[in-house]
Amino acid sequence: MSEQDFDQALIGAAFQQAAEVGWSRLTIIDAARAAGLAPAEARARFPGKLALLRRFGVILDQAALAADSGDGTVRDRLFDLLMSRFDTMKPHRDGIRALLRHLPGDPATALALSCATHRSMRWMLQATGVSTSGLRGELRVRGLTAVWLWALRAFERDDTEDLAPTMAALDNALGRAHTVASWLAGERTIAAAEPGEDESMADEV
C-alpha cells in the first residue's frame, strides 16, 4: 500500500469514527484499527488528529489542482477548483459535520484549520494566475477564504448527491466577491467610461 493510499484509508476511517462517536472521542489508533492498518505506521505518519486534518487539506488541494483544466475565466476556474474540494469531501460528509460541531469548543484546532484554509485559498488563487502578493493579494486570499467558509456552511446542511445547494451558495458567494472586488478596484467607473473594455479578471476575488 502506498503512502497516499494509507493516508486516504486512515482519513476515511477517522471521519467514519468521528461520525459515530464524535470528533473529541476519535483517536488515530482507533481509526487505524477500524481501517485494518498498522497502528505503528499510523503513529509514525499522524502523531495526532491535527496532523490528519492537515494531510486531508493537502489531499483536497491536490484533487482540486489535478482537476483544473486551465480554461475559462478566473471566476469559473475558482468555482471548479472549490467544487472539486467539496466533491472530495462528500464521502466524509458526516464526519466533517462532527468536526464542525466540535470546533467551537476547541479554539486551538479551529485556529490551525483557519491557517490551513488560508494557505489552501492562496494555492487556489495562484492556480488561476491571480497574484497573492502584497496587500491586495492578501485581501484576495481573505476574500476567497470568506467565499469558501460561506459555501462550507451550505455543504454542512447539504444532503443531496449532486451538491446543488453547495454549488448555488458557492456561485452566489463568488458573484458577491467579484462585485465587491470590482467596486474596490474602481472597475465600475472604468467600465462606464469604456464599455467595450473587459473587466480585469485578476480582481475577481
Side-chain angles (χ1 to χ4, degrees):
M1 177 181 290
S2 69
E3 290 185 349
Q4 180 85 355
D5 289 340
F6 184 97
D7 293 353
Q8 290 180 336
L10 184 61
I11 288 168
F15 279 123
Q16 180 61 40
Q17 291 279 301
E20 295 172 1
V21 303
W23 188 261
S24 62
R25 296 181 62 188
L26 163 72
T27 67
I28 297 297
I29 197 164
D30 286 343
R33 287 170 175 162
L37 302 172
E41 187 173 355
R43 172 62 182 86
R45 294 190 58 74
F46 298 100
K49 289 185 284 188
L50 189 54
L52 183 143
L53 291 175
R54 290 193 181 107
R55 180 69 180 115
F56 184 53
V58 172
I59 289 173
L60 296 181
D61 291 346
Q62 289 174 322
L65 295 169
D68 181 29
S69 67
D71 297 326
T73 66
V74 169
R75 177 177 168 180
D76 289 344
R77 289 178 65 192
L78 286 173
F79 178 88
D80 290 341
L81 284 165
L82 297 186
M83 278 310 304
S84 292
R85 295 182 101 241
F86 283 123
D87 286 337
T88 306
M89 291 164 60
K90 186 171 67 173
H92 314 298
R93 191 158 32 187
D94 290 340
I96 291 170
R97 286 169 175 157
L99 169 63
L100 293 174
R101 289 193 299 268
H102 168 81
L103 288 180
D106 187 351
T109 298
L111 177 60
L113 284 181
S114 176
C115 294
T117 299
H118 193 82
R119 286 193 298 271
S120 291
M121 295 304 106
R122 187 178 297 277
W123 272 96
M124 299 300 102
L125 285 167
Q126 291 174 349
T128 64
V130 175
S131 172
T132 60
S133 62
L135 178 59
R136 291 186 75 184
E138 179 62 22
L139 290 174
R140 290 174 182 138
V141 176
R142 294 188 182 189
L144 191 60
T145 300
V147 166
W148 170 259
L149 293 176
W150 178 265
L152 181 62
R153 291 178 61 189
F155 175 83
E156 186 179 5
R157 302 186 297 267
D158 190 350
D159 287 318
T160 64
E161 183 61 29
D162 61 1
L163 297 181
T166 302
M167 286 192 285
L170 177 59
D171 185 61
N172 180 266
L174 282 170
R176 284 183 293 152
H178 172 62
T179 299
V180 171
S182 298
W183 179 75
L184 288 174
E187 290 182 8
R188 288 185 176 180
T189 303
I190 295 171
E194 301 177 20
E197 185 174 317
D198 290 340
E199 294 184 3
S200 171
M201 296 309 300
D203 290 318
E204 291 209 356
V205 285

